[in-house]
Amino acid sequence: MNIYEVAKKAGVSIATVSRVINNSPNVRPETREKVEAALKELNYRPNAIARSLAANTTKTIGVLASDVRDSYYANAVYILEQEFRMMGYDMILCNTGGELEKRKKYMGLLLEKKVDGMVFVGSVFKEKKDNTHIMDVSEVVPVVMLNSSLQGNNIYSVVCDDQLAAFKVVESLASRGHREIAYVYDVDSFSGLAKLNGYYSGMQAAGLPIRQEWIIRTESGINGGYMALIRLMEMQASCTAIFTSEDILAAGILKGLLAKGKKVPDDVAVFGYNDSVLARCTTPELSTVDNKVGVLAREAARMLCKVLDGEDTPHHKIIEPELVFRESCP
Amino acid sequence: MNIYEVAKKAGVSIATVSRVINNSPNVRPETREKVEAALKELNYRPNAIARSLAANTTKTIGVLASDVRDSYYANAVYILEQEFRMMGYDMILCNTGGELEKRKKYMGLLLEKKVDGMVFVGSVFKEKKDNTHIMDVSEVVPVVMLNSSLQGNNIYSVVCDDQLAAFKVVESLASRGHREIAYVYDVDSFSGLAKLNGYYSGMQAAGLPIRQEWIIRTESGINGGYMALIRLMEMQASCTAIFTSEDILAAGILKGLLAKGKKVPDDVAVFGYNDSVLARCTTPELSTVDNKVGVLAREAARMLCKVLDGEDTPHHKIIEPELVFRESCP
DNA sequence: AATAATTGTGTAAACGCTTACAAACTATTT
DNA sequence: AAATAGTTTGTAAGCGTTTACACAATTATT
């Protein structure tokens, strides 16, 4: 079932059929009807592959994310799909696991599949050389980075101001009288560095002491949080508030505090990050930072579509996060 | 940069270049080297679109899931991607939101993009006529269904025996002395019917009374669970155990029980379903059913790959779930 | 009525591959 | 040395579209 059969049935040339399919304006109404009838009768569906080859555009976007099982990425991917689909694009999904090699490999595969653009969700590597492949890819297709950024001609980015968020968290903690605030982040933490910086500047701005042993790097997952808390307790840390880079860490910390007989928020206040479902499932419910991943994703998708449509758009957008206060720090 | 340029540089015909790329056996070693050198020097990447058009296979699988933001689907999608990638396939992701119209539309688009096969994650509609499009699609490409099934020549399925799981949950609850067991499920509950059947047969097998008012259909999400519990309390239900079709509902129920001053598991035991991250974040931690979504996804992917390779495979596989006992029903 | 401008349609050449088939070798057998 | 079989290579036809260009038909302008 191809354009030739349709053309034959409608008694026109394939060019005309193509014109009808792509509703080009210059087709006589009667001709159009004939063709449309044939189209319907034969139940014709265009072959997107052939189309892509001829038109040199696939209407497909490659999306690279670390791991959709993480609710942050899942949210991003969901909204990206929704937005792209609205604009007529499909999405090829790649889970990189945050590994450089996979990322390189997948980007290569996506180029082979001739995606029209790529969205890159997540953090960029610290080493500059580890990001050169992104620069390379951007020579071929536009790249938009979600919550990380890179300087480049054909690279666009939309980020949440995590540093500001962390600053604000510390600020509100301080305004509630907390003076000794710990920060717990995990190995793969998303923009962990930005948050850490915000923590530092927040502490400084509030005139609070910064103690290195209150800054804890732990493994990811609920267990990482639990262990971080245990470490804090073992060193007899006197902090009255704990800020984490991920809700799941905060959940582990709540668990640890419960085990140690500490009351939240009375003995210790806890602050999470991401405003994931999880934050409403713990007891007490978590205060957390809504990092607006949905907004980020929407903006990212729209940016890319604009670029692909030849419209112009700023290269960089910053979204403001919002603090959400719940029981763990009312 | 195409095969012609490579051929010119290597001083061979395009056919030979193609043979080298697809490492067909009949190429003289020296020729192969020449070509490989040219390939490397020009940094050639095959155009997958052209390849697909010529070879009539895209090495792409369409995946339809309701909503990746739900951890069940996220897990499925993650494992599917991993498995398919290992076999050299990419994945186009479609979130259907469980809507029939979207499902139809996306399946059509996937056919246009000439995917080699489809995976369908989630529940099938009750009305037979609402699933005919799946039958239609299966005339064109093989379809594998994950945790739902449909009879068809080119349709494969792998399901978790949710009915058995529910039966077992009731059984263990009964063996712990519970006689009055409520079942709470939500509107979009995944295989909610199978679970309900398991609940019924479990209650019967244990010789326990079934009361319709203990079977509660509620909205999805943590709030749905909370409201279900409130309803139960308002009708002065005397049940000592509550089984839910989703962990998130159980989380809401825990919240409700806490608000009502009930102790879990002493006053009321709670059982969830899915063994999501969430189950380890609540206080107390949730007993739940591990529905093996990872295993299901792996099997589904492998099944499809086998079909595509022309190997044969059973049309249907059943995976046994496993009960996980934690604090909410030790 | 003749000419110019506009609109509609068809022909054929791309797009970058794979692959059937034929041709040209090379190795083996007689 | 000729005949045969096997291996390696090249030629050319497809895959199903889009689209530049040419031409035909229609409409507008003089």
Side-chain angles (χ1 to χ4, degrees), chain B residues 134-249:
Chain B
I134 302 185
M135 303 298 294
D136 294 348
V137 164
S138 76
E139 311 254 301
V140 187
V141 294
V143 174
V144 5
M145 318 212 32
L146 204 155
N147 221 34
S148 56
S149 60
L150 217 53
Q151 212 55 235
N153 207 354
N154 211 10
I155 300 184
Y156 299 78
S157 56
V158 30
V159 303
C160 173
D161 194 340
D162 291 313
Q163 178 163 351
L164 177 65
F167 180 93
K168 281 183 171 175
V169 168
V170 173
E171 189 178 52
S172 1
L173 253 15
S175 78
R176 280 162 176 73
H178 297 284
R179 294 188 46 79
E180 312 195 331
I181 304 172
Y183 176 60
V184 175
Y185 68 105
D186 77 63
V187 189
D188 335 304
S189 178
F190 207 78
S191 36
L193 217 69
K195 292 170 195 165
L196 186 56
N197 284 337
Y199 167 80
Y200 279 132
S201 56
M203 293 295 274
Q204 255 157 17
L208 301 181
I210 294 177
R211 306 240 324 247
Q212 284 307 318
E213 63 271 31
W214 294 346
I215 298 174
I216 296 194
R217 185 163 183 270
T218 185
E219 70 176 53
S220 58
I222 190 163
N223 216 38
Y226 187 87
M227 280 165 22
L229 189 274
I230 298 303
R231 254 158 76 198
L232 240 19
M233 297 305 279
E234 276 169 358
M235 63 172 84
Q236 317 266 358
S238 52
C239 31
T240 60
I242 305 176
F243 173 38
T244 68
S245 67
E246 305 284 337
D247 284 340
I248 185 89
L249 291 180

Side-chain angles (χ1 to χ4, degrees), chain A residues 3-4 18 22 44 47 50-51 54:
Chain A
I3 215 175
Y4 284 89
S18 176
N22 298 289
Y44 171 81
N47 179 326
R51 231 190 233 248

Side-chain angles (χ1 to χ4, degrees), chain A residues 36-276:
Chain A
E36 264 159 4
L39 247 25
K40 188 144 295 174
E41 190 169 351
L42 294 175
N43 205 277
Y44 171 81
R45 308 212 72 131
N47 179 326
I49 298 298
R51 231 190 233 248
S52 296
L53 184 60
N56 197 30
T57 159
T58 52
K59 287 290 182 180
T60 305
I61 304 293
V63 173
L64 297 127
S66 277
D67 186 340
V68 269
R69 292 173 303 181
D70 179 306
S71 78
Y72 182 84
Y73 296 104
N75 274 295
V77 166
Y78 181 84
I79 300 293
L80 285 172
E81 203 237 351
Q82 191 172 289
E83 292 291 321
F84 281 129
R85 199 167 292 289
M86 243 151 53
M87 303 296 288
Y89 292 92
D90 280 323
M91 224 174 73
I92 294 182
L93 179 65
C94 303
N95 291 106
T96 61
E99 294 169 40
L100 177 59
E101 283 315 312
K102 279 195 184 170
R103 204 164 87 180
K104 280 189 190 167
K105 190 178 128 201
Y106 297 166
M107 283 186 150
L109 291 174
L110 289 172
L111 286 185
E112 291 187 7
K113 289 247 165 134
K114 300 289 164 191
V115 293
D116 291 340
M118 292 193 201
V119 177
F120 182 81
V121 190
S123 43
V124 121
F125 293 101
K126 275 150 230 132
E127 303 285 330
K128 204 156 193 180
K129 69 170 168 46
D130 289 343
N131 297 310
T132 50
H133 61 289
I134 301 185
M135 303 298 296
D136 294 348
V137 165
S138 77
E139 311 255 300
V140 188
V141 294
V143 174
V144 6
M145 319 211 33
L146 203 154
N147 220 34
S148 55
S149 62
L150 217 53
Q151 211 55 234
N153 208 355
N154 210 10
I155 300 184
Y156 298 79
S157 56
V158 30
V159 303
C160 173
D161 195 340
D162 291 313
Q163 179 163 350
L164 176 64
F167 180 93
K168 282 183 170 175
V169 168
V170 172
E171 191 180 48
S172 6
L173 253 14
S175 78
R176 280 164 176 73
H178 295 284
R179 294 190 45 81
E180 311 195 330
I181 304 171
Y183 176 60
V184 176
Y185 68 104
D186 77 62
V187 190
D188 335 304
S189 178
F190 209 75
S191 37
L193 218 69
K195 292 170 196 166
L196 186 56
N197 285 335
Y199 168 80
Y200 278 132
S201 55
M203 293 296 273
Q204 256 157 16
L208 301 181
I210 294 176
R211 304 236 331 242
Q212 284 309 317
E213 63 271 33
W214 292 346
I215 299 173
I216 297 194
R217 184 165 184 271
T218 185
E219 71 178 53
S220 58
I222 190 164
N223 216 38
Y226 187 87
M227 280 167 19
L229 189 274
I230 298 303
R231 253 158 75 196
L232 279 172
M233 297 305 277
E234 276 170 358
M235 62 172 84
Q236 317 266 357
S238 51
C239 31
T240 61
I242 304 175
F243 173 38
T244 67
S245 66
E246 306 284 335
D247 284 341
I248 184 89
L249 292 180
I253 283 171
L254 289 182
K255 240 175 219 329
L257 288 168
L258 184 73
K260 292 292 181 182
K262 298 279 185 185
K263 294 260 171 283
V264 178
D266 298 340
D267 300 337
V268 181
V270 176
F271 227 101
Y273 208 106
N274 276 0
D275 195 18
S276 55

Side-chain angles (χ1 to χ4, degrees), chain B residues 15 22 42 57 60 72 153 159 219 293 302:
Chain B
N22 298 290
L42 295 177
T57 159
T60 304
Y72 183 85
N153 207 354
V159 303
E219 70 176 53
V293 56
R302 289 185 181 167

